[in-house]
Amino acid sequence: MPILPFSSLGLLPSLLRVIDEMGYPAPTAIQAEAIPVILRGDDVLGAAQTGSGKTAAFALPILQSLLLGKGANRREKERQVRALILAPTRELAAQVGATFEKLTQYSAHRLQISVLFGGVSINPQMMALRGGADIVVATPGRLLDLIDHNALSISAVSTLVLDEADRLLDMGFADEIGRLLKLLPAQRQTLLFSATYPPAVQALAQTILHHPIRIEVASTAAGRPDIEERAIEVDAGRRTQLLRHLIEQHAWERALVFVATKYAADIVAVKLQRAGIDAGAFHGDLSQGARTQLLAEFKNTKLRILVATDVAARGIDITQLPAVVNYDLPRSTVEYTHRIGRTGRAGASGIAISFISADTEAHFRLIEHRRQRQIPREQIAGFEPVDQPAADLSGLSAAEKSNGGIKGKRKSKKDKLREAAAAEAAAVAAGQLRNP
């Protein structure tokens, strides 16, 4: 079934003008299906991969309803929050807020859009809310802080959006979401979007959605991003050298490299800098100003390589990002999906490379199993691995285990280091090390 142009969706001329200037003659699959449903007032359970255009899929109908709805001409001091969008990270909140701002630039009525997140002083946000707000895009924690300070009320919200719902729950926002739901009116439209649907998201959807229309485009070939996935076997100690080799071989203008910890982000970035590659570390210890500056430099190609923890897995929307590299494997299938989703966006193609060492092979097989997708292993000349997986000692006696599994032999220092590395990798995979 062919997708009709935006003009067929009944959107306001001011919105169509912005869309046309953005160079999007036709809606994406999620936009074509979601916009009419949301305009009709139904609840939505949307399954869409990152980069599929889902922000505009809910932003356009929300803006249309607010611009045409009652009270569009009310005085600023009487503004009440009518639309609330919850996002898991500062970067995603800022991205969604920027989309709303851009789409309203030609609207006759001025809508007040407030973007609220932590990591910065709360006082300027409180001041900005004194005139009220029509649309609020927020991370749950900062929103609750502002509500506790009586800076705003969400009792009049008519549309609630949970963007990246799986990430909201995975980051531990379940309690905050529960508190916010108690403050929202029972009669409202609720839109839940998620790239994956683990049990926690399914349970939340059943709780907050009322006869939702399910829209799923992620599983179709047309809706799947064009991402080439590769799995390269390499010893853990040679990953940085291999990364440098790939950067030079492919001449990537930009690449996003994911690591497991803040310390690793700093170390890998420094090693790349010493090799003459413009690189920066992006993690939760940075101030919001520093994070914003790094992203700006990365987007305008002043920074070639961004080495990031999973704090960057959502909210980074960079067109024409050619490559994502899993220097360290993600701890879950959900995180893998969102990491590689940073490339292959908006119809572009991309490559996602995962480094597989002897100690992480089993974890990557688990990711493959849960995704029902197997990625052929490959080796790069000059970087062939020599390390072997740690021996399985589960069937040995306590005495044999204490001697490294072979009677009469003690564990070497290398064996002990390898076991320690395996234990750390297993802990990361199990979610025991949660350094964002």
Side-chain angles (χ1 to χ4, degrees), residues 30-49:
I30 186 67
Q31 292 165 358
E33 292 194 47
I35 290 174
V37 172
I38 298 173
L39 285 173
R40 199 167 61 226
D42 291 318
D43 284 7
V44 167
L45 179 61
Q49 295 287 352

Side-chain angles (χ1 to χ4, degrees), residues 55-347:
T55 301
F58 62 75
L60 285 167
I62 286 175
L63 290 171
Q64 175 100 342
S65 298
L66 291 180
L67 292 169
L68 293 178
K70 296 179 181 179
N73 294 309
R74 64 186 179 279
R75 292 176 296 173
E76 289 186 17
K77 68 177 183 179
E78 297 174 344
R79 279 198 173 102
Q80 293 179 306
V81 179
R82 307 297 298 178
L84 172 63
I85 296 89
L86 296 180
T89 66
R90 312 172 198 176
E91 285 70 32
L92 182 57
Q95 174 194 316
V96 172
T99 299
F100 272 97
E101 291 282 3
K102 185 172 184 63
L103 291 173
T104 58
Q105 62 181 302
Y106 298 124
S107 299
H109 302 300
R110 179 176 176 271
L111 292 176
Q112 183 65 34
I113 302 165
S114 292
V115 180
L116 313 172
F117 48 75
V120 295
S121 173
I122 196 172
N123 293 326
Q125 295 176 356
M126 293 179 65
M127 294 290 291
L129 288 168
R130 284 189 173 181
D134 299 291
I135 301 169
V136 166
V137 185
T139 54
R142 177 48 60 94
L143 178 60
L144 281 170
D145 288 343
L146 287 160
I147 291 174
D148 290 342
H149 281 81
N150 295 318
L152 80 164
S153 169
I154 57 173
S155 61
V157 166
S158 56
T159 303
L160 168 68
V161 181
L162 273 71
D163 195 10
E164 308 285 19
D166 50 356
R167 181 64 166 160
L168 278 166
L169 296 180
D170 190 54
M171 291 182 66
F173 286 125
D175 291 342
E176 287 85 349
I177 292 173
R179 286 182 58 194
L180 290 169
L181 290 173
K182 294 178 181 178
L183 301 174
L184 290 163
Q187 297 297 320
R188 66 175 186 272
Q189 182 184 35
T190 303
L191 315 174
L192 187 152
F193 290 90
S194 188
T196 61
Y197 278 86
V201 174
Q202 297 176 32
L204 178 63
Q206 292 175 0
T207 301
I208 68 173
L209 299 178
H210 180 69
H211 300 304
I213 304 300
R214 185 178 180 95
I215 300 174
E216 186 170 3
V217 300
S219 60
T220 65
R224 187 178 300 123
D226 183 12
I227 302 173
E228 177 191 357
E229 297 179 57
R230 296 173 61 189
I232 301 178
E233 296 176 329
V234 60
D235 290 336
R238 302 201 67 197
R239 288 174 298 174
T240 304
Q241 293 171 281
L242 176 57
L243 176 60
R244 288 169 49 190
H245 172 78
L246 293 173
I247 293 171
E248 295 167 0
Q249 179 187 50
H250 294 282
W252 291 323
E253 184 179 53
R254 286 176 301 196
L256 181 58
V257 178
F258 282 106
V259 294
T261 66
K262 306 167 193 176
Y263 175 76
D266 291 331
I267 291 298
V268 174
V270 167
K271 288 182 177 180
L272 292 177
Q273 292 166 7
R274 289 174 178 170
I277 299 172
D278 292 329
F282 188 87
H283 52 68
D285 276 356
L286 299 177
S287 68
Q288 185 58 40
R291 287 164 68 165
T292 300
Q293 181 178 352
L294 275 172
L295 285 179
E297 293 177 352
F298 189 52
K299 288 181 179 181
N300 61 28
T301 67
K302 289 183 179 179
L303 191 67
R304 187 177 182 186
I305 307 297
L306 194 65
V307 186
T309 58
D310 280 314
V311 72
R314 309 285 180 96
I316 294 184
D317 185 10
I318 300 173
T319 57
Q320 304 299 321
L321 177 62
V324 167
V325 178
N326 288 317
Y327 184 98
D328 291 317
L329 292 182
R331 58 187 177 82
S332 70
T333 307
V334 170
E335 291 301 345
Y336 180 88
T337 299
H338 288 286
R339 280 186 180 189
I340 70 172
R342 297 306 98 197
T343 188
R345 300 174 72 84

Side-chain angles (χ1 to χ4, degrees), residues 231-243 271 326-328 354-361 378-380 382-390 414 418 421:
I232 301 178
E233 296 176 329
V234 60
D235 290 336
R238 302 201 67 197
R239 288 174 298 174
T240 304
Q241 293 171 281
L242 176 57
L243 176 60
K271 288 182 177 180
N326 288 317
Y327 184 98
D328 291 317
S354 296
F355 290 165
I356 312 298
S357 66
D359 294 326
T360 60
E361 170 65 32
E378 56 183 289
Q379 296 182 2
I380 304 298
F383 297 92
E384 297 89 346
V386 296
D387 288 346
Q388 297 297 318
K414 185 175 181 180
R418 184 177 296 149

